[in-house]
PDB file of all heavy atoms in Angstrom:
ATOM      1  N   ALA T   1     -48.425 -44.786  30.236  1.00 96.00           N
ATOM      2  CA  ALA T   1     -48.444 -44.390  28.864  1.00 96.00           C
ATOM      3  C   ALA T   1     -49.873 -44.492  28.387  1.00 96.00           C
ATOM      4  O   ALA T   1     -50.362 -43.524  27.732  1.00 96.00           O
ATOM      5  CB  ALA T   1     -47.506 -45.166  27.951  1.00 96.00           C
ATOM      6  N   GLY T   2     -50.592 -45.564  28.618  1.00 95.00           N
ATOM      7  CA  GLY T   2     -51.920 -45.655  28.279  1.00 95.00           C
ATOM      8  C   GLY T   2     -52.842 -44.541  28.881  1.00 95.00           C
ATOM      9  O   GLY T   2     -53.670 -44.001  28.045  1.00 95.00           O
ATOM     10  N   PHE T   3     -52.705 -44.340  30.086  1.00 96.00           N
ATOM     11  CA  PHE T   3     -53.461 -43.150  30.647  1.00 96.00           C
ATOM     12  C   PHE T   3     -53.227 -41.824  30.127  1.00 96.00           C
ATOM     13  O   PHE T   3     -54.106 -41.001  29.877  1.00 96.00           O
ATOM     14  CB  PHE T   3     -53.385 -43.181  32.172  1.00 96.00           C
ATOM     15  CG  PHE T   3     -54.218 -44.380  32.823  1.00 96.00           C
ATOM     16  CD1 PHE T   3     -53.527 -45.176  33.826  1.00 96.00           C
ATOM     17  CD2 PHE T   3     -55.548 -44.486  32.672  1.00 96.00           C
ATOM     18  CE1 PHE T   3     -54.231 -46.205  34.342  1.00 96.00           C
ATOM     19  CE2 PHE T   3     -56.296 -45.411  33.246  1.00 96.00           C
ATOM     20  CZ  PHE T   3     -55.555 -46.296  34.098  1.00 96.00           C
ATOM     21  N   ALA T   4     -51.921 -41.667  29.855  1.00 97.00           N
ATOM     22  CA  ALA T   4     -51.481 -40.335  29.271  1.00 97.00           C
ATOM     23  C   ALA T   4     -52.106 -40.067  27.923  1.00 97.00           C
ATOM     24  O   ALA T   4     -52.612 -39.080  27.524  1.00 97.00           O
ATOM     25  CB  ALA T   4     -49.990 -40.170  29.274  1.00 97.00           C
ATOM     26  N   LEU T   5     -52.061 -41.224  27.089  1.00 97.00           N
ATOM     27  CA  LEU T   5     -52.633 -41.149  25.706  1.00 97.00           C
ATOM     28  C   LEU T   5     -54.173 -40.945  25.793  1.00 97.00           C
ATOM     29  O   LEU T   5     -54.645 -40.174  25.082  1.00 97.00           O
ATOM     30  CB  LEU T   5     -52.316 -42.441  25.027  1.00 97.00           C
ATOM     31  CG  LEU T   5     -50.871 -42.737  24.543  1.00 97.00           C
ATOM     32  CD1 LEU T   5     -50.619 -44.117  24.194  1.00 97.00           C
ATOM     33  CD2 LEU T   5     -50.394 -41.635  23.512  1.00 97.00           C
ATOM     34  N   PHE T   6     -54.728 -41.680  26.712  1.00 96.00           N
ATOM     35  CA  PHE T   6     -56.211 -41.534  26.824  1.00 96.00           C
ATOM     36  C   PHE T   6     -56.526 -40.022  27.296  1.00 96.00           C
ATOM     37  O   PHE T   6     -57.464 -39.500  26.712  1.00 96.00           O
ATOM     38  CB  PHE T   6     -56.784 -42.598  27.909  1.00 96.00           C
ATOM     39  CG  PHE T   6     -58.218 -42.413  28.142  1.00 96.00           C
ATOM     40  CD1 PHE T   6     -59.064 -43.053  27.323  1.00 96.00           C
ATOM     41  CD2 PHE T   6     -58.740 -41.767  29.135  1.00 96.00           C
ATOM     42  CE1 PHE T   6     -60.546 -43.028  27.465  1.00 96.00           C
ATOM     43  CE2 PHE T   6     -60.133 -41.601  29.415  1.00 96.00           C
ATOM     44  CZ  PHE T   6     -60.959 -42.311  28.669  1.00 96.00           C
ATOM     45  N   ASP T   7     -55.829 -39.608  28.345  1.00 96.00           N
ATOM     46  CA  ASP T   7     -56.117 -38.119  28.798  1.00 96.00           C
ATOM     47  C   ASP T   7     -55.861 -37.173  27.631  1.00 96.00           C
ATOM     48  O   ASP T   7     -56.451 -36.066  27.646  1.00 96.00           O
ATOM     49  CB  ASP T   7     -55.299 -37.783  29.989  1.00 96.00           C
ATOM     50  CG  ASP T   7     -55.712 -38.551  31.292  1.00 96.00           C
ATOM     51  OD1 ASP T   7     -56.781 -39.181  31.172  1.00 96.00           O
ATOM     52  OD2 ASP T   7     -54.968 -38.554  32.212  1.00 96.00           O
ATOM     53  N   ALA T   8     -54.848 -37.399  26.744  1.00 96.00           N
ATOM     54  CA  ALA T   8     -54.707 -36.546  25.548  1.00 96.00           C
ATOM     55  C   ALA T   8     -55.640 -36.731  24.539  1.00 96.00           C
ATOM     56  O   ALA T   8     -55.412 -36.158  23.416  1.00 96.00           O
ATOM     57  CB  ALA T   8     -53.216 -36.835  25.118  1.00 96.00           C
ATOM     58  N   GLY T   9     -56.641 -37.556  24.661  1.00 96.00           N
ATOM     59  CA  GLY T   9     -57.707 -37.759  23.685  1.00 96.00           C
ATOM     60  C   GLY T   9     -57.400 -38.775  22.539  1.00 96.00           C
ATOM     61  O   GLY T   9     -58.063 -38.766  21.565  1.00 96.00           O
ATOM     62  N   MET T  10     -56.474 -39.548  22.804  1.00 97.00           N
ATOM     63  CA  MET T  10     -56.098 -40.651  21.914  1.00 97.00           C
ATOM     64  C   MET T  10     -56.634 -41.928  22.352  1.00 97.00           C
ATOM     65  O   MET T  10     -57.092 -42.122  23.507  1.00 97.00           O
ATOM     66  CB  MET T  10     -54.591 -40.736  21.746  1.00 97.00           C
ATOM     67  CG  MET T  10     -54.006 -39.535  21.068  1.00 97.00           C
ATOM     68  SD  MET T  10     -52.227 -39.640  20.791  1.00 97.00           S
ATOM     69  CE  MET T  10     -51.801 -38.197  21.935  1.00 97.00           C
ATOM     70  N   GLN T  11     -56.799 -42.945  21.458  1.00 97.00           N
ATOM     71  CA  GLN T  11     -57.205 -44.220  21.637  1.00 97.00           C
ATOM     72  C   GLN T  11     -56.079 -45.211  21.797  1.00 97.00           C
ATOM     73  O   GLN T  11     -55.589 -45.902  20.873  1.00 97.00           O
ATOM     74  CB  GLN T  11     -58.101 -44.718  20.503  1.00 97.00           C
ATOM     75  CG  GLN T  11     -58.681 -46.019  20.520  1.00 97.00           C
ATOM     76  CD  GLN T  11     -59.716 -46.142  21.618  1.00 97.00           C
ATOM     77  OE1 GLN T  11     -60.589 -45.347  21.687  1.00 97.00           O
ATOM     78  NE2 GLN T  11     -59.695 -47.243  22.342  1.00 97.00           N
ATOM     79  N   PRO T  12     -55.554 -45.491  23.014  1.00 97.00           N
ATOM     80  CA  PRO T  12     -54.548 -46.464  23.210  1.00 97.00           C
ATOM     81  C   PRO T  12     -55.048 -47.776  23.215  1.00 97.00           C
ATOM     82  O   PRO T  12     -56.174 -48.062  23.750  1.00 97.00           O
ATOM     83  CB  PRO T  12     -53.978 -46.080  24.646  1.00 97.00           C
ATOM     84  CG  PRO T  12     -55.096 -45.415  25.386  1.00 97.00           C
ATOM     85  CD  PRO T  12     -55.985 -44.735  24.284  1.00 97.00           C
ATOM     86  N   THR T  13     -54.310 -48.805  22.692  1.00 96.00           N
ATOM     87  CA  THR T  13     -54.618 -50.224  22.735  1.00 96.00           C
ATOM     88  C   THR T  13     -53.309 -51.008  23.162  1.00 96.00           C
ATOM     89  O   THR T  13     -52.369 -50.953  22.423  1.00 96.00           O
ATOM     90  CB  THR T  13     -54.971 -50.625  21.343  1.00 96.00           C
ATOM     91  OG1 THR T  13     -56.207 -49.876  20.945  1.00 96.00           O
ATOM     92  CG2 THR T  13     -55.437 -52.121  21.313  1.00 96.00           C
ATOM     93  N   LEU T  14     -53.400 -51.658  24.313  1.00 95.00           N
ATOM     94  CA  LEU T  14     -52.284 -52.376  24.679  1.00 95.00           C
ATOM     95  C   LEU T  14     -52.213 -53.722  23.973  1.00 95.00           C
ATOM     96  O   LEU T  14     -53.166 -54.546  23.998  1.00 95.00           O
ATOM     97  CB  LEU T  14     -52.432 -52.699  26.243  1.00 95.00           C
ATOM     98  CG  LEU T  14     -51.330 -53.395  27.066  1.00 95.00           C
ATOM     99  CD1 LEU T  14     -50.064 -52.585  27.059  1.00 95.00           C
ATOM    100  CD2 LEU T  14     -51.757 -53.830  28.453  1.00 95.00           C
ATOM    101  N   LEU T  15     -51.021 -53.926  23.501  1.00 96.00           N
ATOM    102  CA  LEU T  15     -50.823 -55.331  22.830  1.00 96.00           C
ATOM    103  C   LEU T  15     -50.192 -56.332  23.843  1.00 96.00           C
ATOM    104  O   LEU T  15     -49.018 -56.330  24.090  1.00 96.00           O
ATOM    105  CB  LEU T  15     -49.772 -55.069  21.718  1.00 96.00           C
ATOM    106  CG  LEU T  15     -50.197 -54.050  20.575  1.00 96.00           C
ATOM    107  CD1 LEU T  15     -49.085 -53.937  19.505  1.00 96.00           C
ATOM    108  CD2 LEU T  15     -51.447 -54.603  19.845  1.00 96.00           C
ATOM    109  N   ALA T  16     -51.130 -56.979  24.567  1.00 92.00           N
ATOM    110  CA  ALA T  16     -50.701 -57.850  25.674  1.00 92.00           C
ATOM    111  C   ALA T  16     -49.696 -58.832  25.246  1.00 92.00           C
ATOM    112  O   ALA T  16     -48.865 -59.223  26.057  1.00 92.00           O
ATOM    113  CB  ALA T  16     -51.996 -58.499  26.229  1.00 92.00           C
ATOM    114  N   SER T  17     -49.755 -59.296  24.033  1.00 94.00           N
ATOM    115  CA  SER T  17     -48.712 -60.364  23.627  1.00 94.00           C
ATOM    116  C   SER T  17     -47.315 -59.654  23.405  1.00 94.00           C
ATOM    117  O   SER T  17     -46.357 -60.484  23.316  1.00 94.00           O
ATOM    118  CB  SER T  17     -49.221 -61.020  22.248  1.00 94.00           C
ATOM    119  OG  SER T  17     -49.367 -60.082  21.263  1.00 94.00           O
ATOM    120  N   LEU T  18     -47.205 -58.364  23.435  1.00 95.00           N
ATOM    121  CA  LEU T  18     -45.882 -57.751  23.347  1.00 95.00           C
ATOM    122  C   LEU T  18     -45.525 -56.867  24.540  1.00 95.00           C
ATOM    123  O   LEU T  18     -45.130 -55.828  24.382  1.00 95.00           O
ATOM    124  CB  LEU T  18     -45.839 -56.987  22.001  1.00 95.00           C
ATOM    125  CG  LEU T  18     -45.771 -57.773  20.768  1.00 95.00           C
ATOM    126  CD1 LEU T  18     -45.907 -56.852  19.493  1.00 95.00           C
ATOM    127  CD2 LEU T  18     -44.630 -58.644  20.700  1.00 95.00           C
ATOM    128  N   THR T  19     -45.873 -57.391  25.732  1.00 93.00           N
ATOM    129  CA  THR T  19     -45.559 -56.632  26.953  1.00 93.00           C
ATOM    130  C   THR T  19     -44.810 -57.653  27.892  1.00 93.00           C
ATOM    131  O   THR T  19     -45.021 -58.861  27.816  1.00 93.00           O
ATOM    132  CB  THR T  19     -46.756 -56.068  27.648  1.00 93.00           C
ATOM    133  OG1 THR T  19     -47.630 -57.231  28.111  1.00 93.00           O
ATOM    134  CG2 THR T  19     -47.684 -55.223  26.668  1.00 93.00           C
ATOM    135  N   ARG T  20     -44.171 -57.064  28.950  1.00 89.00           N
ATOM    136  CA  ARG T  20     -43.530 -57.808  29.816  1.00 89.00           C
ATOM    137  C   ARG T  20     -43.489 -56.884  31.110  1.00 89.00           C
ATOM    138  O   ARG T  20     -43.414 -55.570  31.072  1.00 89.00           O
ATOM    139  CB  ARG T  20     -42.000 -57.972  29.414  1.00 89.00           C
ATOM    140  CG  ARG T  20     -41.140 -58.710  30.494  1.00 89.00           C
ATOM    141  CD  ARG T  20     -41.352 -60.179  30.199  1.00 89.00           C
ATOM    142  NE  ARG T  20     -40.561 -61.010  31.184  1.00 89.00           N
ATOM    143  CZ  ARG T  20     -39.452 -61.707  30.834  1.00 89.00           C
ATOM    144  NH1 ARG T  20     -38.988 -61.550  29.660  1.00 89.00           N
ATOM    145  NH2 ARG T  20     -38.966 -62.503  31.708  1.00 89.00           N
ATOM    146  N   GLY T  21     -43.592 -57.523  32.309  1.00 82.00           N
ATOM    147  CA  GLY T  21     -43.636 -56.931  33.628  1.00 82.00           C
ATOM    148  C   GLY T  21     -42.280 -56.274  33.863  1.00 82.00           C
ATOM    149  O   GLY T  21     -41.488 -56.281  33.200  1.00 82.00           O
ATOM    150  N   SER T  22     -42.192 -55.796  35.109  1.00 66.00           N
ATOM    151  CA  SER T  22     -41.009 -55.092  35.522  1.00 66.00           C
ATOM    152  C   SER T  22     -39.803 -56.045  35.555  1.00 66.00           C
ATOM    153  O   SER T  22     -39.963 -57.138  36.058  1.00 66.00           O
ATOM    154  CB  SER T  22     -41.114 -54.556  37.079  1.00 66.00           C
ATOM    155  OG  SER T  22     -39.936 -54.139  37.445  1.00 66.00           O
ATOM    156  N   SER T  23     -38.604 -55.551  35.036  1.00 53.00           N
ATOM    157  CA  SER T  23     -37.419 -56.377  34.950  1.00 53.00           C
ATOM    158  C   SER T  23     -36.765 -56.356  36.299  1.00 53.00           C
ATOM    159  O   SER T  23     -35.935 -57.299  36.566  1.00 53.00           O
ATOM    160  CB  SER T  23     -36.578 -55.908  33.907  1.00 53.00           C
ATOM    161  OG  SER T  23     -36.193 -54.525  34.163  1.00 53.00           O
ATOM    162  N   ILE T  24     -37.063 -55.423  37.116  1.00 55.00           N
ATOM    163  CA  ILE T  24     -36.424 -55.375  38.463  1.00 55.00           C
ATOM    164  C   ILE T  24     -37.234 -56.130  39.613  1.00 55.00           C
ATOM    165  O   ILE T  24     -36.664 -56.372  40.583  1.00 55.00           O
ATOM    166  CB  ILE T  24     -35.947 -53.963  38.863  1.00 55.00           C
ATOM    167  CG1 ILE T  24     -37.283 -53.107  39.127  1.00 55.00           C
ATOM    168  CG2 ILE T  24     -35.089 -53.395  37.999  1.00 55.00           C
ATOM    169  CD1 ILE T  24     -37.096 -51.771  39.759  1.00 55.00           C
ATOM    170  N   ASP T  25     -38.469 -56.497  39.305  1.00 54.00           N
ATOM    171  CA  ASP T  25     -39.207 -57.048  40.305  1.00 54.00           C
ATOM    172  C   ASP T  25     -40.292 -58.029  39.566  1.00 54.00           C
ATOM    173  O   ASP T  25     -41.325 -57.650  39.440  1.00 54.00           O
ATOM    174  CB  ASP T  25     -39.961 -56.014  41.150  1.00 54.00           C
ATOM    175  CG  ASP T  25     -40.838 -56.729  42.272  1.00 54.00           C
ATOM    176  OD1 ASP T  25     -40.533 -57.854  42.540  1.00 54.00           O
ATOM    177  OD2 ASP T  25     -41.836 -56.042  42.737  1.00 54.00           O
TER     178      ASP T  25
END
């Protein structure tokens, strides 16, 4: 999502405190 937003000319900012890794691995 971050790369797609960047490629679309937008400024993505990942909120690290509101993320979680893969639930299946």
Side-chain angles (χ1 to χ4, degrees):
F3 283 126
L5 291 165
F6 180 83
D7 288 350
M10 290 177 249
Q11 178 72 42
T13 302
L14 182 67
L15 301 176
S17 63
L18 288 176
T19 67
R20 180 86 182 253
S22 174
S23 61
I24 61 168
D25 180 24

